[in-house]
Amino acid sequence: MPHRVSSFFKYHAYAYDLPTDIKKGRPALSERSLSSNNSIASVDDMPEQPHKRLSFPGKHSSPRSSTKSIPQIQPATLNVGIESPPLVFYGTAANSSGALLSGQLKVVINEDSITIDSFKMRMAMEVVRKKPFHGHCKECEKESTDLTNWNFSQGSLVLKRGQHNFPFSYLLPGTLPASMKGILSEIEYVLRATMTTTTGETLKLSHVLDVKRAIHPGESPRNSIRIFPPTNLTANCQLPAVIHPIGETNISMRIDGCVKKDSDNKTQTQWRLKRVTWRLDETQKMVSPACAKHAAKLGKDVEESKKSVSHQEVKTLGFAELKDGWKSDYSGPDGTIEFEFPFSIKTDHPICDLKTENGTEVSHILVVEMIVTEELAPISKPRQVTPTGSARVLRMHFNVVVTERAGLGISWDEEQPPLYENVPASPQHMDKAMYSTGLSFLTMRIFHLLTTAAETRPLNNDIRSCIL
């Protein structure tokens, strides 16, 4: 059939393609009847084509698709409401008192009543290794450690329609690491609740907690001294103890020993600063241990070091180059160069410093490079310099601690109200005699003030009578 349709459009689409007798006029009646009979006969000789049923979209729909469009009403819904402040570990892992978590697990019953067989919730620290010991093993990739758990129903529990709150609280130890999402691994704190009814229905809830660490900066800045032998150059650096993911931090530097004088030739050799570059690198380390199944395959005679794989990645968080902005003084006995420059983290989602017991570690290093050239000049005219052609690269490394901003937040143990022994003593109790004496003295004092005011300012008769 398709080839006949194509032939029809091919040979009879235009008038100049028709036969000559058709172009001249209409055929006779006999010819027309004969042709019509032939056409009818040809149609009858054609084989019957199976009839196809036309379907319109949206008119006929299967019962399965219709059931999916109807929303399924669950007997109950779970939700978590956190009432405590943000979870922040104040201080280092050695001296932090932890973070206090408190909230309520909210259950909304949509039916008249349901009977709960078990209702539990646990808090877990989940570690995901992006480069596990075995690439296709889920146990090598993920590790979950339960910190605590809550059992809200000791037996069967009947809940009626409405909202029911179940409070919970937990003190996170300060030795735990903060939440992080790095190149090699991820650390998350998750609340997982499970409720099972007597009919066999199970409701689950997962709520991720964001745990941070904030280290208070010291009162005094950090000072560091670098010596560059065989020259007499000495760099005195002053930088803050900690830096933050957002914002700029200034570092000041002074270079001494830039001038070496030769009294015999009345000349001096001086170092001129040409360029300064800084780079902030983030180093991530991770140890991927083998799970129990793959550790057993290695055998008992294998060393413990071979049952795990170490990984390390270095990422640059910021970089800049300075070609001016410093002050040089070669008139002194040693000569000095002083300058100050800001540095900051220029990438999104940096990771704060942390170190865990399982080998995960994140650290930051600030690398400062200075290029100095040697010049020769007369002592009397230090500006008439002659380059000697020698140059040096002075490189310095500083360990930098990246942490969240503490702000005005304080640790949970400092927020507690004062105890009874911390309340100061109350004022001395006054007996009736002391009270009457004080009251009479106050009355006389008020009468004296009013009398003085009446004598200095004329008052009407009503007020004067009240005073007297």
Side-chain angles (χ1 to χ4, degrees):
M1 192 67 182
H3 68 276
R4 294 186 180 184
V5 175
S6 62
S7 302
F8 175 78
F9 284 104
K10 181 176 181 182
Y11 296 106
H12 304 286
Y14 301 97
Y16 52 79
D17 292 334
L18 298 176
T20 308
D21 54 351
I22 297 177
K23 290 182 180 181
K24 293 180 180 180
R26 298 181 63 184
L29 181 60
S30 60
E31 296 177 359
R32 284 187 292 172
S33 62
L34 179 62
S35 61
S36 60
N37 294 332
N38 293 336
S39 62
I40 294 173
S42 61
V43 171
D44 294 337
D45 296 338
M46 293 175 56
E48 292 184 359
Q49 299 291 336
H51 295 282
K52 296 182 178 180
R53 183 179 178 182
L54 300 178
S55 61
F56 297 93
K59 186 175 181 180
H60 304 282
S61 59
S62 61
R64 182 177 299 178
S65 62
S66 61
T67 56
K68 289 183 178 180
S69 60
I70 299 176
Q72 300 293 334
I73 300 177
Q74 297 182 354
T77 57
L78 303 179
N79 190 16
V80 174
I82 304 299
E83 300 176 349
S84 58
L87 300 176
V88 181
F89 297 140
Y90 291 98
T92 60
N95 55 18
S96 177
S97 59
L100 183 61
L101 169 67
S102 62
Q104 292 186 2
L105 182 58
K106 303 177 182 179
V107 182
V108 179
I109 306 300
N110 301 322
E111 298 180 355
D112 293 338
S113 64
I114 62 173
T115 304
I116 299 174
D117 190 11
S118 65
F119 190 17
K120 299 179 181 180
M121 186 175 68
R122 63 186 180 92
M123 182 178 181
M125 182 181 67
E126 299 181 354
V127 180
V128 178
R129 300 180 180 91
K130 299 182 180 180
K131 292 184 179 181
F133 184 84
H134 193 277
H136 301 283
C137 181
K138 295 296 182 181
E139 295 182 359
C140 293
E141 180 183 359
K142 296 182 180 180
E143 180 184 355
S144 180
T145 304
D146 291 346
L147 301 178
T148 186
N149 55 74
W150 299 271
N151 188 5
F152 298 109
S153 64
Q154 302 297 333
S156 298
L157 179 63
V158 180
L159 298 179
K160 296 183 179 181
R161 183 187 295 272
Q163 180 175 328
H164 304 269
N165 298 331
F166 296 87
F168 62 91
S169 62
Y170 178 66
L171 177 61
L172 280 78
T175 56
L176 294 175
S179 303
M180 57 89 72
K181 290 185 178 181
I183 303 174
L184 300 177
S185 62
E186 295 181 1
I187 299 177
E188 284 186 346
Y189 294 88
V190 188
L191 291 174
R192 298 191 181 276
T194 304
M195 185 177 69
T196 305
T197 61
T198 54
T199 58
E201 298 181 357
T202 302
L203 300 177
K204 295 183 179 181
L205 172 68
S206 177
H207 183 79
V208 179
L209 301 173
D210 188 13
V211 180
K212 300 180 180 180
R213 182 176 296 277
I215 301 177
H216 293 278
E219 298 180 356
S220 59
R222 173 185 171 189
N223 296 318
S224 179
I225 300 176
R226 297 291 190 273
I227 301 174
F228 304 97
T231 64
N232 297 329
L233 296 176
T234 303
N236 295 276
C237 308
Q238 186 177 11
L239 66 160
V242 297
I243 64 174
H244 307 289
I246 301 176
E248 291 186 348
T249 306
N250 293 328
I251 176 173
S252 59
M253 191 172 300
R254 187 182 79 251
I255 303 176
D256 299 326
C258 299
V259 175
K260 183 179 180 181
K261 297 184 179 181
D262 187 0
S263 303
D264 298 337
N265 298 326
K266 297 182 180 181
T267 58
Q268 64 181 14
T269 303
Q270 57 191 24
W271 296 96
R272 185 174 298 275
L273 184 60
K274 290 294 185 180
R275 186 174 61 185
V276 178
T277 59
W278 65 267
R279 184 181 74 253
L280 185 60
D281 293 339
E282 179 183 83
T283 304
Q284 301 183 21
K285 297 180 182 180
M286 182 195 66
V287 178
S288 300
C291 63
K293 181 178 64 176
H294 290 93
K297 290 182 178 180
L298 295 176
K300 298 181 180 179
D301 299 334
V302 180
E303 299 178 359
E304 293 294 333
S305 60
K306 295 183 179 180
K307 294 183 180 180
S308 61
V309 180
S310 300
H311 302 278
Q312 180 175 340
E313 293 286 342
V314 179
K315 178 183 177 181
T316 300
L317 302 181
F319 173 82
E321 181 178 347
L322 306 175
K323 294 184 178 180
D324 54 5
W326 46 81
K327 181 177 63 174
S328 304
D329 184 13
Y330 302 108
S331 59
D334 294 333
T336 58
I337 300 175
E338 296 180 358
F339 61 95
E340 181 179 351
F341 62 90
F343 71 97
S344 61
I345 298 175
K346 299 182 180 181
T347 58
D348 297 333
H349 307 292
I351 304 176
C352 298
D353 285 37
L354 62 89
K355 187 175 182 180
T356 62
E357 297 178 356
N358 57 8
T360 303
E361 183 179 357
V362 180
S363 58
H364 300 82
I365 296 178
L366 177 63
V367 182
V368 180
E369 294 183 355
M370 300 179 295
I371 299 178
V372 293
T373 58
E374 190 180 32
E375 297 176 347
L376 185 64
I379 297 178
S380 59
K381 298 179 180 179
R383 294 187 177 182
Q384 296 181 0
V385 297
T386 302
T388 60
S390 61
R392 290 185 178 275
V393 178
L394 310 180
R395 184 179 291 107
M396 296 173 288
H397 297 79
F398 303 97
N399 294 325
V400 180
V401 178
V402 179
T403 180
E404 296 287 345
R405 293 184 180 272
L408 299 177
I410 58 177
S411 181
W412 67 272
D413 53 348
E414 299 179 1
E415 293 181 352
Q416 63 182 0
L419 303 177
Y420 286 106
E421 56 267 18
N422 297 333
V423 177
S426 59
Q428 185 179 2
H429 180 68
M430 297 178 60
D431 53 5
K432 294 183 178 181
M434 296 177 61
Y435 179 77
S436 59
T437 303
L439 183 61
S440 59
F441 174 78
L442 180 62
T443 304
M444 294 177 61
R445 181 62 178 170
I446 294 174
F447 180 77
H448 175 71
L449 293 175
L450 292 177
T451 305
T452 306
E455 293 178 354
T456 56
R457 183 177 300 177
L459 300 177
N460 52 22
N461 296 330
D462 298 335
I463 299 177
R464 187 181 299 274
S465 62
C466 293
I467 297 174
L468 299 175

